[in-house]
Amino acid sequence: MVRFILAKTKTLPDLYEASIVELQNGLESGDFTSVDLVKAYFARIEEVNHQGASLHAVIETNPTALLQAEALDLERKTSKRSRGLLHGIPIIVKDNIATLHSEGSFALLGSVVPRDAMVAAKLRASGAIILAKASLSEWANFRGSVPSGFSGRGGQALNPYFPQADPSGSSSGSGISSAIGLAAGALGSETSGSILSPSSKNNLVGIKPTVGLTSRAGVIPISINQDTVGPMCRSVADAAAILSVIAGPDKLDNFSLLQPSPVPDYTKALKPNALKGVRLGIPRLFGSSDANITAAFNASVEIIKSLGAIIVDPAEFPNAVELRASHNSSIVLSADFKADVNNYIAGLLEVPTGVTNLADLIAFNTAHADEELIPPFYTSQSQFIASENTTLNDAYFTALAFDKELGATNGIDATLKKFNLDAILLPTDGFTAGPAAIAGYPVVTVPLGFQPDGVVPTMARPTISKAPGVPFGISFMGTAFSEFKLISYAYAYEQKTHNRLKRLAFPAAIPKTQLIDVIGK
C-alpha cells in the first residue's frame, strides 16, 4: 500500500489498510494523535457514507469520540504508558451492540440502555475509541425476507467492491467499514453467518467465536443459544488483538461462565509456520456451488499443502445429508427471538416509541410503513410474525437438543474424530455457517479471492448478488473454544497468500482523506 511521507523522515500509514500495530506505533512515536485518527476517520466516513459511492456503512458517529480521543492522548502523555494495543484506536461497532445508542430500527430510536454492552465496555477499558455505530440488516436480518444490509434508519448498505453489490449481512456496515478503512476494525455479531458472510463478501478476516467466549449482554438478540460477537478486520493480527480484549466471562451472560480459564492472548497464535503437520479435512458436500469459488478454493488447498498441512479430501460429515435437510434451527431461532427480544426490551430504561414486546414491534412497523416497510423490496415481516406465534414448548426443547447433537456431537466433533483432524477447511460461501451455528462452534474466515472480471453482474434486486471483483473467503472451523488454533492456521495461510491486497474496492468507494490531511489542522 501507499505510505504517506511526513516532513522528511516520517512515514504515515495508509488508512485504507493500516494495521492496529502500525497505528499504535505511530501514536507511541508521536507521529500523530488519537484526535488526528478520529478526525481522519470521520472525514473518510463523510466521503463515502451518504456522498460519493453512498455505501450507507455507518448509522451514526459518536459525538463524544473527539473528547475521548483527547482524554486518551492526554493519558498517554502524562502517564508515559499505554493501556495496550487498542489504546487510542478507533473501532466501529454494529448498531445492535449497546453503547447508549439504539438499533437500526425506528422502533427503538431514542431508547435508553442500562449500560454499555460488555464487549463495548471491554473495548473502552482497553483504551479503544468507539467511533461509530455500523449499519446492519435490521434486527440482524430476522424481520423477514428483506435484502441484506437494509435498515429503516440506515437505508440500503452497499458493497465497496462493485457498485450496487450486496454487502451481505447482517453485519453489513461492520464489513464495509473495515474493508475500506473507516476505522481500525469493527465488531459484528452472528447467529448464523452474520460475521462470516459479510467478512467474506467484503474481503475481510472475520472471527465467529464459540458461543460463550464473548458476552452477549447488551446485544440485541436473536437467540441465546446461537448469538455471538466477534471482530471483522483487515488482518488476522488485528482480529486476534480485538478478540483478546472482548473475550472473557460476564456474570450477565451465563453461557460465558462456562468458558475455559484464563482467556488466551490470541496474538500469540500469530505463527507463520502453524500449518506444518496440521490435519485439515474438506467436507466436499458442503462446498460452494459457484465454480469460481471452488476453483480458487482448490488452488488454495495446494498452497496449504505446501505449508506442511496434511489434507484429508474428502472428509465428509457422517450426518451431512441430515444436516442439510434439518429445519430444527428455524424452530429454535423463532422461539428464542420472541423470548429474548421481549426480555431485551423489558430491560431498557426508556423506549420513547412505547414498544414493549415483539407484537408491538410488528404493529409499529405497520403503522410506520413509509419508513420501515418500503415497497417493493422491504415490506416483509414474515419472520417477526412467525416468531410471535411461537412458544417455548416441548417441540422447541426437542429441536434445541437435536440441533446440538446434529451440529456438534454427530457433526463437527464426529468429523474431527473420524478423520483425526485438527480443523475443517471449506469455502466460506459454502454450507459453512449452518453447522457451526447450531453447534455454537468457532469459525475463522480469511480472504480467498475475487469474482473474475468476465463475470456478468446479476440483476439488481435491489442489490447485485454476483459481479466482477466481489470477494469471497476461505474458512477454518473447529470444536468449542478452539479459536487459538484456528487463528494460527488462518494467520499462516494469510501470510503466505496476502489475498486481500490483490484487488481494491472500486475507486469511488475508496476514501481519499489520510492522516497528512488532518495533522496540525
Side-chain angles (χ1 to χ4, degrees), residues 221-478:
I222 290 179
S223 168
I224 193 173
N225 294 292
Q226 289 186 203
D227 292 350
T228 188
V229 179
M232 300 170 67
C233 297
R234 293 181 290 274
S235 69
V236 176
D238 287 351
I242 292 176
L243 184 63
S244 297
V245 166
I246 64 172
D250 174 16
K251 64 182 180 181
L252 296 178
D253 182 351
N254 288 338
F255 279 62
S256 74
L257 302 180
L258 302 177
Q259 66 181 267
S261 181
V263 176
D265 176 357
Y266 294 105
T267 64
K268 293 182 178 177
L270 305 177
K271 298 178 180 178
N273 62 348
L275 282 167
K276 188 174 182 179
V278 169
R279 289 178 61 87
L280 302 176
I282 302 174
R284 290 288 177 176
L285 292 175
F286 291 171
S288 174
S289 60
D290 186 306
N292 296 323
I293 293 176
T294 300
F297 176 78
N298 288 340
S300 271
V301 170
E302 296 307 310
I303 293 172
I304 290 169
K305 285 181 183 177
S306 76
L307 293 172
I310 300 162
I311 302 294
V312 181
D313 184 7
E316 305 296 359
F317 280 46
N319 61 350
V321 174
E322 192 178 11
L323 258 170
R324 275 198 172 276
S326 175
H327 297 289
N328 283 285
S329 182
S330 62
I331 296 171
V332 172
L333 297 187
S334 291
D336 277 351
F337 180 71
K338 179 182 177 181
D340 294 345
V341 84
N342 286 354
N343 287 337
Y344 179 87
I345 295 172
L348 295 173
L349 302 181
E350 183 182 344
V351 185
T353 59
V355 298
T356 61
N357 54 32
L358 177 55
D360 287 347
L361 293 176
I362 295 169
F364 178 93
N365 288 341
T366 302
H368 299 83
D370 59 327
E371 295 176 315
E372 290 285 357
L373 307 178
I374 305 166
F377 300 110
Y378 310 114
T379 60
S380 177
Q381 293 199 86
S382 58
Q383 184 57 65
F384 266 18
I385 293 166
S387 294
E388 177 58 25
N389 291 322
T390 64
T391 57
L392 299 180
N393 55 20
D394 288 345
Y396 162 82
F397 288 107
T398 299
L400 179 60
F402 188 70
D403 252 2
K404 190 68 175 177
E405 185 177 274
L406 189 66
T409 310
N410 297 334
I412 294 171
D413 287 332
T415 306
L416 293 171
K417 182 177 180 181
K418 178 180 179 180
F419 298 101
N420 189 28
L421 303 175
D422 294 291
I424 295 164
L425 181 71
L426 61 179
T428 308
D429 291 17
F431 186 64
T432 301
I438 61 175
Y441 283 2
V443 183
V444 179
T445 181
V446 188
L448 168 60
F450 306 85
Q451 290 293 343
D453 286 333
V455 166
V456 177
T458 56
M459 183 179 295
R461 298 187 52 83
T463 55
I464 296 168
S465 61
K466 186 175 179 178
V470 171
F472 46 81
I474 186 170
S475 283
F476 298 83
M477 176 190 294

Side-chain angles (χ1 to χ4, degrees), residues 60-127:
E60 59 183 328
T61 54
N62 181 359
T64 68
L66 279 170
L67 291 175
Q68 292 175 32
E70 287 176 6
L72 288 161
D73 284 336
L74 181 61
E75 179 183 321
R76 184 190 302 273
K77 183 178 180 179
T78 56
S79 68
K80 306 295 184 184
R81 65 178 181 83
S82 168
R83 297 191 195 184
L85 265 181
L86 297 188
H87 186 126
I89 301 294
I91 304 292
I92 286 177
V93 302
K94 188 176 179 179
D95 197 43
N96 62 347
I97 298 171
T99 58
L100 304 179
H101 294 281
S102 57
E103 207 260 356
S105 164
F106 281 106
L108 293 187
L109 183 60
S111 60
V112 179
V113 298
R115 64 190 71 84
D116 275 349
M118 179 54 74
V119 289
K122 283 175 172 282
L123 284 177
R124 291 193 201 276
S126 74

